């Protein structure tokens, strides 16, 4: 409906002032003073708001989790510390914490995982970032294949799992140091590859810059890159792509 | 078929040595001495090999175009100079050159464009990169909506076209200078956004680094980034996503 | 007026649908295909749209100048080349070009310059950037005091002009190389200082990075920084401040 | 009065040697050995000297606070640690410490806040820097509107507060990560925007460089930038601009 | 043997399916879930897999050491912490830890050291990195000459040991700060020099970048560079070169 | 012979003063005013001095070529322009210029090429750097296997040539853009790999920095890196390693 | 004389108003509009103002040379182009231009060169910068010893000239690429070394950054660094040091 | 004496073999295994070896102090921790530690301080670096004038001490943040200025890079720069210059 149509509806009485106001101001949010929770995000983007826990005061975190849980029946938090988990654990029902991915969540029990994405890592040190990606995708209903420690310095390890990688709707390639994994995968598969540089490495890896540049400059096609260590962002976008591939509607609340 | 199964077929005589050799060495390429053309790329990835023309000697370019045209019936070249176009134009049939996108191609006439992606730019100076993305996607059969000059310093321009952006299976956001367009779009739509930083700008834009960092650090979700000025890469990946969304098989040769 | 009030006006008939549509969609722009001209910018921000000429095709530039001139009766263009000037000069009335500042404009003759800003440079090589600032400010009705070549390696030159600097509502400090001018001025005056790093220098000046960092790290107060060589931006903001100081309304069209 | 006039006054006896000495050497400071307190700063710039507490030895800090309090009747300190607060708290009257902004101060009780500036943040993590800006401005007599958590990934949050932003004489835009808030605000308002990049973020945010570059390269007009996390500097300059807007004289001691 | 020959062998019955499978899939690895140990590395590269201990969980480390020890009869680990050593020390036989090089190993007692490499350092602070290089080379059977604290600011120290440096098959030059040692050695000897920049230094040494750039830009010939602080990599490559020089076969298991 | 032994020989008359002077001052060079040619380099390092032609005045270049030719009977020059070649071509006998590698040389006709190194490139654009490496190595008597356009985005191309790569005493891996070729080769072969980053690429390849960092951070072993585009340095060091492998003495003059 | 004393002199009539004004405002400069020539620089610093010619308009350059020549009887200009020389050559008497150093000057004929500094370069490509240093020093009356092409990759070349280096009051060490020359000299001599990094090099020399960092991080003592390619600055400071060493008064005009 | 003359002396018997050996191998050092102490440094450079304590093991430090004390009768150590001081304090006579400069020393009691240098700082936070410079210079016999907290944001503080700055033979200018102090001093005095950037600052000061670049790019003359926080290096070079100015011989041991 265009603005003109809405206004004509108001003018003719077909649409009430309240309803028109709602239609014109589409996005609700809850102003908690220190934060504005985006309550229409699920409707607008197909994903409920996710909490970036790192550095948030514990009281604020509790209130945000409570409020989002009331709205959505589940909450996903990323980059939570074990101290934050301990603070919240008695106060919220069914809170789960994963020490590898640092994901803190309250999740509905009956979740179906559909479609398929593959999450690959170059080494074992990249697994925490990969798990953030994998568990984010799973929270949003995606089926995830984990294929870890298949870096390019031992190509046969990757080649032995190639079939599973090729079967995925989207591949998340997680690598630090020289970050060449994404290029090699990009040359082998027909699906989009989301590359996640990690801060794993030392010296001239410069906290992930080396892997980031490698991935941006890949001569393979079908690769795009997210921020260093941003497993969450990769899991989110892989879910978007997987949903498109399986024809999933944005899930109803 | 696993290696074991192939070998058992050979052992039993069910599979000839030649056929088995073919199955084991799946990827053909043509060794032209100075280059190795990847003839099975279309089968493997769903996209025929594309020619990065920049800096290639004219003779080589001619041979590569001829050879790929023989194989695929069409050829896409990117970053071609007008000099390269003039050299090739008499020697190849139906060669087309676009001076804005620097795309040089021979394309089948009967191409259907399916699905939908949106290609947006922040300013007019970003259009060459956007056209590289759009024309690449179109070459590979994707329908493209162009939405140009909708940068964040005049938000109403973007908001007036929001419906078209929201309707796309994938959005390509092209921006130089501060590169904030991708974040704003990412906050408004439910589909994946491929962000393309451009080298448009001066001073502290550092040839696109500013836009690149902005896009990598976006606090919006569902955004991944390609190299500075890499319109081709964005158009390619958007096509992959669009194909998944419309359930397109990898096109037959 | 809030959205609710507008809607109630529509509902009661006090406001027509057209007028309400206008009120709700405040910002007009003109879509020229390759560009979207922001026609309400003067109403919204107090400044008509300015044309960044660098790299714009000559035909486009002509149309943009014509359209903006029709709307506003004058046009300001920055970073214009002498070639662009020659192309446009026969086709537009009263076009003026300044080879130092690279400003290309059509300006109303009867302009009053009010209030006062000071534009200072460290050296003579910084003058082109300073002139872009000064002439931008003058175009928008500001009186400008030019104080050039007063860099910190010869402090007495600045001190001899201190009274004029102190009298300004806002000081624009333009400097390349080590860029220390802004700090020294910041320690001497009570008004805001807009620092403009320039790309003047060689070696470790890194195209203006040295001056930029100096200005950002100033231990003097009341200093903010614009992009390297961005005289236009400084002149614009100085005008905003000067207008506040003299109580100027946003000028009527 | 020029030097010549002063000297002629001395020569004629109209001005005493002492008074002339005072007039020629305008700036008093107090040499405390390890520091030189700038006692005439209020007269010269309209702001009393502010103490950057970070890293200062506790004894020195005590003496500096005592000396400035004796001079001005109040003292503002920034970047104070809670340990510094505890050391000073018994020894100075009416000392106040804010753990969010790290501001430590002794303030006159009867302060009027005039004019208006708006301090906006993109996220909740940017609030400490925003509070440094807001409380600095308030200390110097400015009325401050706080508008927090209105980042560009949820535009409707900002648009819902737009009227308050537009009403301010100056806007301080505080943002980390991709830092796009300043550009969006700059495109919407007619007043100067002071952009404060923060070190909030991870990976390729590089401790605030990403936000800093975004703000420097903004394609919106009327934006200038201060150092990363420099809330104090933004609050100071916003106060200068606000004073100009309301025609405030430099306050008498 | 080519693929064709293997297949013909299978077809004719001369090669069994199992043996052919083995020949086609040359590389075995052991999938431990979180890691894939490369069991054929010794056969393929002449070096058994080495464990990068830094950051590995203690349980994982124990299992990896056990598994590799079972395979190879000895294990080399680098960048081990003293805590990791204490955890493993009761659980593995003959474990040795060197607190300077952070090497943790189980080594066969009867090892012969052959050929010769020289490991030189500019200062005493570079010794930990040099020892990582030296002990890695010794673990793999190389004889090592240590020549420490011979930096270019006191040339006579290096010149007094020149004969030993010249006698080596390969020189490892370890230096932080300005890193000029490699250039000086490169100008004096006929053998390849592997340069190792270290993170020793402060200020503009930027954690080893200064030394890294010096070594990459050396105007002497025969120098190649490894990552900052990568003593292991230098010791490994020096061993490869030394083995070539003494005509050593890849050692049998 | 030690200094003491030489002096005792002088004292006893067994060694003449002249001969002793010669022994103590081992290195002759020819001072041409603007340059000091290193005449004993071949004796000291096994390689005659090579001329870096780029930027050298034509007259100087002529004299340097003449002088070195007189000494060694052949001369190798790198980075020569075609203009330099044209200037010298009439004036020096048997001068050869290769427009791809920019090598300018006078070479003895009867040269034997011994041992074996492999020079690999990721793409066709890396060939000029690879040829500088290959032709340098050949000039110094090394047999070179060229394996071009085998980048990691099409792994099968490299795998099809693996046997030849494995047979070399040393591998030179030349790659721009993401530079992952060296890592993949390093994981497959037992011989040292010299990695040469090239400036091929655009955007975030930053003139070769991306490839350089990739190579420095390789998780494969046995890789060391030379400067960006430094094919000469790689060919030189590969020759040193090849000579060690084949037990070659430093060639007599 | 203190301000108080001057004022008392005025009060008592012992000092005229004019003379007192002169004493209080010590520094004269000539305001040419576009530039302010510092006429008292020779009195204040012992050096007349030097003209940085690069980028100056030819007319301005002519007037500046004329004015300074009238004041000082000679003029030194640096970084002059040959075009600037041709423009000025007919218009100014006894103008000399050196195409290597790009120094353009009018110099008194009877100049004595006193004391001694040594100017050393690593290679021949560093000579233009070295000559700028040497000729600047000579213009200001310093005796200069040139010692060129003595880089650290052939140490014996430097050692053969060591006596001359040791005899100088100050050493200027000019080097690009890895820039190690300053460290080696710093370890050998007792006098201060001024290090000049040059932009000579390619790849990871990054336009002189590599040499700059090497020199800043030198582990030798007595080294300070000037900007990349800043031969003038080094020659100036070496002259200051040489004057101190020989007890030279600031020369009279 | 030349090598030839020494050899002729040996030949004729005028010089013994031992003495000649000594003359030819001029530099003694003591090889302590982990370190090589440079015993002839005082003779060669006029300064005894100084100990960089940071990171040195306590046992090593003790032995090095003992050995140097035995040789020179005093020892200077820089960057010592208070823990190192406590470890050594009982074991060495007359050990002194300064907690501000982190200098640890044993010093002869009867030292005369001659000539004059000025050490200036921009702020109080720069004092630790300044004291390292000042106390180093004093240890080597230089008289030091301390002029602290005279940064450019309050110029009158510096101007009030100008006479003392002008009287020095050399000025050390210590500044962090924007580092403009060196430029201002360089424009005011005739003596060489050694600029020391400090890591004082935050945000875009990048640990001293901002101040470093400012100082390298100074448009004032007579300025050279040492490493970030390198007070020692500045004090050392200032002493060299001061010795030249007062005609001091290198002090006898």
């Amino acid at each position: 409906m265009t603005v003109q149509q809405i206004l004509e509806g108001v003018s003719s009485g077909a649409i009430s002032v309240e309803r028109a106001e709602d239609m014109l101001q589409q996005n609700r949010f809850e102003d908690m003073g220190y934060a504005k929770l985006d309550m229409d995000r699920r409707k607008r983007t197909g994903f409920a708001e996710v909490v970036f826990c790192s550095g948030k005061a514990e009281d604020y975190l509790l209130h945000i989790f409570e409020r989002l849980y009331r709205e959505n029946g589940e909450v996903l938090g990323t980059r939570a510390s074990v101290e934050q988990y301990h603070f919240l654990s008695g106060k919220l029902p069914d809170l789960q914490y994963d020490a590898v991915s640092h994901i803190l969540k309250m999740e509905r029990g009956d979740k179906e995982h559909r479609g398929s994405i593959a999450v690959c890592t170059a080494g074992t040190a990249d697994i925490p970032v990969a798990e953030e990606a994998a568990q984010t995708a799973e929270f949003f209903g995606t089926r995830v294949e984990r294929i870890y420690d298949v870096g390019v310095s031992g190509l046969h390890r990757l080649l032995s799992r190639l079939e599973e990688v090729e079967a995925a709707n989207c591949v998340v390639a997680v690598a630090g140091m020289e970050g060449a994994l994404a290029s090699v995968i990009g040359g082998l598969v027909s699906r989009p590859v989301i590359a996640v540089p990690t801060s794993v490495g030392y010296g001239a890896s410069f906290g992930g810059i080396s892997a980031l540049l490698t991935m941006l400059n890949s001569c393979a096609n079908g690769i795009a890159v997210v921020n260093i260590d941003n497993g969450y962002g990769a899991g989110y976008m892989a879910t978007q792509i997987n949903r498109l591939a399986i024809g999933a509607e944005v899930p109803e609340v």
Side-chain angles (χ1 to χ4, degrees), chain A:
Chain A
M1 242 185 188
T2 65
V3 170
Q4 195 188 351
Q5 291 171 323
I6 295 171
L7 287 169
E8 280 165 356
V10 172
S11 181
S12 69
I15 300 177
S16 72
V17 166
E18 290 69 30
R19 178 120 188 276
E21 201 179 345
D22 228 53
M23 292 167 86
L24 289 168
Q25 298 174 320
Q26 284 169 3
N27 298 298
R28 285 176 313 128
F29 59 87
E30 170 130 352
D31 198 329
M32 305 178 73
Y34 52 87
K36 293 181 180 53
L37 296 187
D38 191 347
M39 292 314 178
D40 282 328
R41 183 185 288 268
R42 181 181 288 205
K43 195 162 64 185
R44 202 169 74 245
T45 67
F47 297 82
E49 179 149 13
V50 172
V51 187
F52 184 81
C53 303
S54 172
K56 283 214 166 55
E58 290 173 341
D59 272 345
Y60 287 4
L61 202 58
L62 177 59
H63 295 151
I64 293 173
F65 262 68
E66 284 173 340
R67 185 64 192 83
L68 288 172
Y69 183 70
R70 213 156 55 229
E71 186 77 18
N72 301 312
E74 61 179 10
V75 191
L76 179 67
T78 61
R79 310 239 169 169
S81 65
V82 70
E83 289 75 22
Q84 290 176 320
Y85 167 56
H86 288 153
F87 179 83
L88 297 190
S89 64
K91 305 179 182 67
L92 292 170
D94 300 320
L95 195 70
Q96 305 169 48
Y97 182 63
D98 177 62
V100 172
S101 65
H102 298 106
I103 279 184
L104 182 67
K105 66 180 175 184
M106 305 159 76
E107 189 173 13
R108 283 208 204 83
D110 57 344
K111 198 166 284 179
E112 186 191 8
H113 298 112
R114 301 175 58 201
S116 165
I117 68 166
V119 177
C120 307
T121 75
T124 55
D126 303 312
I127 290 177
V129 176
E131 279 300 314
E132 193 186 81
Q135 295 178 28
T136 294
E138 287 172 337
F139 184 87
F140 288 122
T142 307
R143 200 170 63 72
V144 178
E145 192 72 35
R146 285 160 173 85
I147 302 172
Y148 291 168
D149 200 23
V150 293
V152 301
S153 70
L155 270 184
H156 53 293
R157 298 178 301 183
L158 175 61
L159 297 179
S160 77
R161 303 287 300 272
L162 193 52
E163 224 161 312
E164 292 155 86
V165 180
E166 282 173 329
N169 287 318
C170 177
V171 183
V172 175
V174 183
M177 299 178 74
E178 90 267 60
L181 181 64
S183 290
V184 171
I185 291 178
L188 293 170
V189 304
S190 65
R191 299 311 188 194
V193 176
I194 303 173
V196 190
T198 72
S199 54
V200 169
Y202 63 90
S205 75
F206 299 135
I209 294 181
S210 170
L212 172 61
L213 293 182
T214 301
M215 289 164 169
L216 285 169
N217 287 288
S218 178
C219 49
N221 295 312
I223 298 176
V225 188
V226 296
N227 196 358
I228 297 165
D229 292 333
N230 188 7
Y232 164 72
Y236 184 103
M237 193 174 183
T239 294
Q240 290 179 310
I241 294 172
N242 184 55
R243 284 183 182 174
L244 283 166
I246 60 176
E249 288 308 297
V250 171
E252 294 300 306
V253 185

